[in-house]
Amino acid sequence: MKLIKAATPAEAGKLAADIFEEIIRKNPACVLGLATGSTPLPLYRELIEREKAGKINFAQVRSANLDEYKGLSGDHPQSYRYFMQENLFNHISIDPANTIVPDGLAEDAEAMCADYEKKIADMGGVDIQLLGIGHDGHIGFNEPCDHFPAVTHEVELEEITREANKRFFASLDEVPTAAYTMGVGTVMAARKVLLIATGKDKAEIVKKSFFGPVKPEVPASILQFHPDVTVIVDEAAASLLD
Ligand code: GLP
């Protein structure tokens, strides 16, 4: 594991963008595994700027997102598809047809999840998987449980996660109770993993995940076993590390 300390969330975004830039330059048709939440926003802003400045080009890039709320359509302002359009895709040259996000409105959830795995495999797998981290150690929406889920599946959301995400909705009642997420196995299959954690409220889970025992009760801890994982933390998120 490579641990990089940044001074601020903005610097974390720049350092993450350097890693993305290198991958896109090496392989202009690479597959990016993308994430939502507030953590990736500085990175996405930086990527938009870098394409405008002619440093990178997204025309051939493909992407697969980690997760989506169950029951929300892609044009619902709180859906993760909408988030990606607003915060990245609408501002870069990526072809919308080359971006996939689980379908929150799928009638047959199991078939949609199996198809999502197949789509990722058909793309040739993920070159770099971007991750944030939940306060309980969840990655994507893989919540603490008694095993590491292997593939894309439906999950019930923990109350702590719904509480954390309610800031984007009018009230807690409106936060979906379930979601679709890539499995921990899907994430571990990515050739490279880049996790960003910023803010003091992430300090404890960063310590537990990367310097504690590997166990499914702390889903992100499995990343300790990934052969190519980079963790970028800002000063606040690193504050409990020695
Ligand atoms: C959500 C997402 C995760 C994300 C997490 C942390 O639950 N499903 O992918 O990592 O929130 O979000 P934030 O970056 O806003 O702290």
Side-chain angles (χ1 to χ4, degrees):
M1 180 182 88
K2 193 171 166 194
L3 182 75
I4 301 177
K5 290 187 189 172
T8 60
E11 195 194 324
K14 284 192 178 136
L15 294 169
D18 290 344
I19 296 172
F20 268 65
E21 185 176 325
E22 197 186 324
I23 287 177
I24 297 168
R25 274 175 189 254
K26 261 194 211 148
N27 177 6
C30 63
V31 178
L32 307 178
L34 298 176
T36 54
S38 25
T39 309
L41 288 175
L43 162 65
Y44 292 162
R45 283 195 285 268
E46 190 66 27
L47 291 176
I48 293 165
E49 286 311 309
R50 290 189 192 193
E51 184 171 64
K52 279 195 185 130
K55 292 183 185 156
I56 38 176
N57 185 283
F58 284 93
Q60 294 179 63
V61 168
R62 295 161 301 153
S63 75
N65 258 77
L66 272 174
D67 48 11
E68 180 59 284
Y69 285 116
K70 181 177 181 177
L72 298 195
S73 69
D75 54 14
H76 187 290
Q78 305 318 331
S79 75
Y80 286 168
R81 160 57 78 179
Y82 191 92
F83 175 100
M84 291 310 301
Q85 294 298 140
E86 286 288 298
N87 293 296
L88 186 64
F89 299 155
N90 290 347
H91 311 285
I92 58 174
S93 66
I94 199 163
D95 180 349
N98 288 337
T99 67
I100 59 169
V101 179
D103 177 6
L105 293 185
E107 276 177 24
D108 182 340
E110 247 174 69
M112 186 278 290
C113 291
D115 183 55
Y116 201 70
E117 287 289 323
K118 188 175 176 306
K119 281 181 177 155
I120 294 171
D122 289 348
M123 285 173 159
V126 171
D127 291 298
I128 180 168
Q129 179 63 56
L130 174 67
L131 297 172
I133 187 168
H135 295 107
D136 56 5
H138 72 250
I139 47 175
F141 269 132
N142 289 283
E143 297 279 20
C145 68
D146 59 6
H147 66 290
F148 291 108
V151 292
T152 302
H153 61 292
E154 180 177 340
V155 274
E156 293 297 314
L157 298 181
E158 295 290 342
E159 279 316 296
I160 180 181
T161 301
R162 294 184 65 240
E163 276 288 340
N165 290 356
K166 81 170 181 205
R167 64 190 195 277
F168 301 111
F169 293 82
S171 71
L172 181 63
D173 286 349
E174 286 187 20
V175 185
T177 53
Y180 299 113
T181 181
M182 283 184 190
V184 171
T186 325
V187 170
M188 289 294 281
R191 288 181 270 284
K192 186 177 186 67
V193 174
L194 171 60
L195 184 141
I196 309 175
T198 52
K200 198 156 178 47
D201 57 317
K202 297 288 172 71
E204 202 173 319
I205 195 62
V206 163
K207 186 172 181 189
K208 258 196 192 168
S209 300
F210 300 108
F211 298 92
V214 173
K215 52 182 182 181
E217 290 79 8
V218 183
S221 65
I222 191 83
L223 298 172
Q224 292 181 42
F225 291 159
H226 193 282
D228 185 356
V229 60
T230 299
V231 178
I232 301 182
V233 282
D234 72 346
E235 252 171 38
S239 59
L240 296 179
L241 308 180
D242 302 325

